[in-house]
Amino acid sequence: MDYDSLLNMGSELGYQLMYSGAEIYRVEESVLRLLTAYGLQPQVFAIPNCLIVSVNTPNGHPITRMRRIPAHGTDIELLERCNGLCRKLCREVLPVSEAKELIDQLGKKKQTYPTHVLLRGYMAAAMFFAAFFGGGLQDAVSAGICGLAVGGWILYIGAKLGFNGFFQTLIGAVIATQMGLWMVHLGFGSNLEAISIGTLMLLVPGMALTTAMREIMAGDIISGMSRTADAILTATAISLGVVVALAIGG
Amino acid sequence: MQQILSFLPACLWGFFACLAFGLVFNIHGWGILICGFGGALGWFVYQAVQHMAHNDIIAAFLSAVVIAVYSELMARIRRCPVTGYLQIALLPLVPGAGIYYAMRYCVAGENEMFLSTLLHTFGFAAALAVGAMLASTIMRSLLPRFYHRH
């Protein structure tokens, strides 16, 4: 059996899972199950940006692969596809070359929405959250415009300038609050809270917080703590952004 | 009855907001509707409990429990990871408003209000997290036959 390509296959699946924003225990267990299904006894260890997979060949030779995971967002579609493929491979145990082909396809054939659809997603989310927090029709439309600006910043400008997450969120919060203030000054919207909070909801670290708690409960304290720190940093960035905008325009 | 009807508009907005977030987090197909319903359901429970108990921490806890039970069930039915459904359905409850108000008090120099709002926001987030985790853990022990971790 070709242990090198088995190991590559397992670590590639783990890499794609990590990249989709899966919890650590899901990554570790998926790789473990996959390689166990192929008759190996792997050791898998993962922390948020590193994955280590190690196996012993029958003649006692240990081989290890380490993958570093770059900064990534959340991609539920990729997560579901990795999960489905892992289940399928554990059930059917396809030949290694075929399975490797399927796993390599995961990262290449990505099904994503085009950027302008994402931008509209940001706009709609801000609009509906403004209505959700008690804004009227005009407030919702104002929040939609603010959401468009924040979405444009995140999708087009911030990522291209190579800003790190902290400053990207901080400037996003400045844009959200400042534009909310302008909308009210111009007399277009009336409910400043609904507009600003609705737009800020685009930036809050809901994902990081929930993932962090799930990991802590699952016993992955290191990654749980680092994600909690991430969530707190993001919340701090939002707070600073709000303060800056309120101090300038309020 | 009147009271229940008055909860519905916010649930509807929460539903659409969750759909929009489903786009942002790249969910395709039916999953996006499941997230939306989860968000609406959670917000309905939150409003109902707050109406009865007048305590938003308890309301956050119970709505997180309901959302987690719902997401775990849906994940089993669709044989998909629970992560996406749970996280997006919880988003309307994430205390973005708390952060905003706390910072407004901070800028206005009202330190007492700032600290109490900030602590309240932390308490709210912790109630959400503990509620969701508790329900997930119980669901997993109740449904061992259907339980596949991935």
Side-chain angles (χ1 to χ4, degrees), chain B residues 8-69:
Chain B
L8 291 182
C11 294
L12 187 68
W13 302 133
F15 174 79
F16 285 117
C18 287
L19 291 195
F21 261 111
L23 287 181
V24 173
F25 291 117
N26 198 24
I27 304 183
H28 294 254
W30 288 103
I32 208 164
L33 284 177
I34 295 180
C35 299
F37 278 119
L41 182 71
W43 193 250
F44 184 80
V45 173
Y46 177 82
Q47 286 176 310
V49 175
Q50 196 174 26
H51 180 67
M52 286 186 280
H54 297 289
N55 183 330
D56 61 348
I57 301 264
I58 293 177
F61 178 80
L62 286 179
S63 52
V65 168
V66 170
I67 288 175
V69 169

Side-chain angles (χ1 to χ4, degrees), chain A residues 231-244:
Chain A
I232 292 177
L233 265 182
T234 310
T236 315
I238 295 175
S239 316
L240 285 176
V242 172
V243 168
V244 169

Side-chain angles (χ1 to χ4, degrees), chain B residues 53-135:
Chain B
H54 297 289
N55 183 330
D56 61 348
I57 301 264
I58 293 177
F61 178 80
L62 286 179
S63 52
V65 168
V66 170
I67 288 175
V69 169
Y70 167 86
S71 321
E72 292 275 344
L73 279 176
M74 285 299 152
R76 290 230 175 14
I77 291 169
R78 287 203 71 212
R79 296 188 157 261
C80 277
V82 69
T83 328
Y85 305 145
L86 183 69
Q87 289 174 334
I88 291 183
L90 276 175
L91 273 177
L93 287 160
V94 173
I99 299 179
Y100 177 80
Y101 286 121
M103 285 307 136
R104 272 215 0 201
Y105 289 126
C106 175
V107 174
E110 297 176 39
N111 284 339
E112 258 175 50
M113 283 304 287
F114 164 61
L115 279 182
S116 79
T117 316
L118 197 67
L119 286 179
H120 189 82
T121 307
F122 277 129
F124 197 95
L128 280 184
V130 174
M133 292 322 110
L134 181 74

